[in-house]
Amino acid sequence: MSSRPIRAALLSVYHKDRLGPLVQVLRQHGVTLYSTGGTQQFLESEGAAVTAVEDLTGFPEVFGGRVKTLHPKVFGGILHRRHEPGDLAQAEQHGIPPIDLVVVDLYPFEETVASGAPQADVIEKIDIGGIALLRAAAKNYRDVLVISSREQYAAVAELLAAKNGATDLEDRRHYAAAAFATTSHYDTEIFKYVSQGTDLAANATAAPASPQGPATALRYGENPHQAGTFYGDLGALFDQLHGKQLSYNNLVDVDAAVQLMREFADGAPACAILKHTNACGVALADTLHDAYVQALACDPVSAFGGVIVVNKEVDAATAAELSQLFFEVLIAPSFAPDALPLLQSKKNRILLRQKPVAFPDKQIKTLLNGLIEQDADLQSETVADFRVVTQSAPTAEETAALEFAGKICKHTKSNTIVLARAGQLLASGVGQTSRVDALRQAIEKAHAFGFDLQGAVMASDAFFPFPDCVEIAGAAGIRAVVQPGGSIKDADSIRACDERGMAMVLTGVRHFKH
């Protein structure tokens, strides 16, 4: 039978946050809840009736909590096969009730190691019962649903609400795979720690393709027919203050937004609006409100349903302005107390409070029948990197605009052209097969939204193979250009600038982004 109702659930979690909505769904469907220790106390504080695991097993927690769930009545309830008459008979004989859902949030071993805690504390964070519960439930996914990360709570709550407290076989298989990914990563981190100083330590860095971090099963991948899973600790990067679970596409756009805003993290109030990983609006201003208004003006059509990121606390004035637009995600370092109610007025709007975190300095991507790795593109050019190659040098305002445009260009899909003034993106041409097409697209978009390009600047992610881009830009009113240079025909583009009284600076650094 593919569809199975959940009638009994075992919950044993370290972190209790985000669990409440899932518990409420289970209560609404009359699910019997089993639990231990702190989880039991939390469930009862939510108004749930809970059966203690020790009442189920008839055996108390022992050894300071090291042994709580390791008992045949627990594992038998998870592992017995509902389609096997012999298993059902033995379960009845020994008074073993079926457990249809297992929810486990493992002890934070990796975080404890990272904190520099003493060895004794690290060892106590090696989860035994939790790992065993996950493996048992995942093994028996034919009958049992397993939740292996708090990142999955919201999605499972939505799933159960939509399917009247039941799950299909494919649902259970999906979450079982995520559980095995979680246990695999967890055991790898334990191996790395325990093997230090032994002849096995060299193996601890093997298998670069293995997923890193806890596994979060997503609603689906890039499209509904594709399964999707995120590997990593989103909780270390964000506090989700409101909204539905992040989807695959949300996560891709959130990553692009966060990486772009790193360019402006410590400067003036900044706002960026992204759609399909490309910025459709970026602005710097004296206030966050003005930065958002100017970013939105760049392309209010593309901004609909986009991802917004800012580098300052969202205040009430900015929140009121933001609330007039439909957007998927808002990322900010903090939210003022009087701003949150305005932003939380839409049920599904995702609000993320970003925490300081170190990002990987390597990027890995699957390709063909293997993978490729590269250093992350962490270089950004400033005025000090600009080499003036034309008769005219850019003015101070143009130089600031060129630096601003170059930062945006670096984070835009190639081939790309960015048109800007100091502190405001005017338009960009993204992902085109020719640089001329990218430039024409940018000019057309700028004019469509009422921007006068007279005196604006242009940034290109790679060199100009011919002078045609400079000629087109000059005719549109562009007065300064930044590009990496390196073409055998650089002199032609430089000459085209000189003939039009334009300034050009070279950086020597290309920023392709595919």
Side-chain angles (χ1 to χ4, degrees), residues 253 256-257 260 272-281 302-303 305-309:
D253 283 332
L260 172 58
I273 307 171
L274 287 87
K275 197 71 169 290
H276 299 299
T277 74
N278 292 306
C280 57
S302 296
V307 170
I308 303 175
V309 61

Side-chain angles (χ1 to χ4, degrees), residues 385-456:
D385 302 300
F386 290 174
R387 180 167 66 90
V388 180
V389 292
T390 47
Q391 295 170 5
S392 298
T395 65
E397 183 177 357
E398 289 168 347
T399 299
L402 290 171
E403 184 175 336
F404 173 78
K407 290 178 178 179
I408 300 170
C409 201
K410 168 187 166 182
H411 293 272
T412 308
K413 294 290 186 183
S414 301
N415 287 321
T416 186
I417 292 289
V418 166
L419 306 180
R421 297 189 188 278
Q424 186 180 24
L425 172 65
L426 302 181
S428 57
V430 304
Q432 299 302 306
T433 51
S434 86
R435 206 158 298 280
V436 169
D437 285 347
L439 173 57
R440 285 177 172 151
Q441 181 189 62
I443 292 172
E444 182 178 344
K445 289 194 72 172
H447 289 159
F449 293 110
F451 289 108
D452 182 358
L453 294 177
Q454 293 295 322

Side-chain angles (χ1 to χ4, degrees), residues 289-340:
H289 174 275
D290 289 349
Y292 167 68
V293 170
Q294 292 173 31
L296 181 63
C298 177
D299 186 350
V301 174
S302 296
F304 184 86
V307 170
I308 303 175
V309 61
V310 299
N311 66 346
K312 305 295 181 185
E313 180 175 87
V314 177
D315 55 31
T318 306
E321 198 74 47
L322 282 160
S323 291
Q324 298 178 44
L325 175 73
F326 168 73
F327 60 87
E328 288 277 349
V329 185
L330 173 61
I331 310 160
S334 60
F335 295 82
D338 55 351
L340 272 177

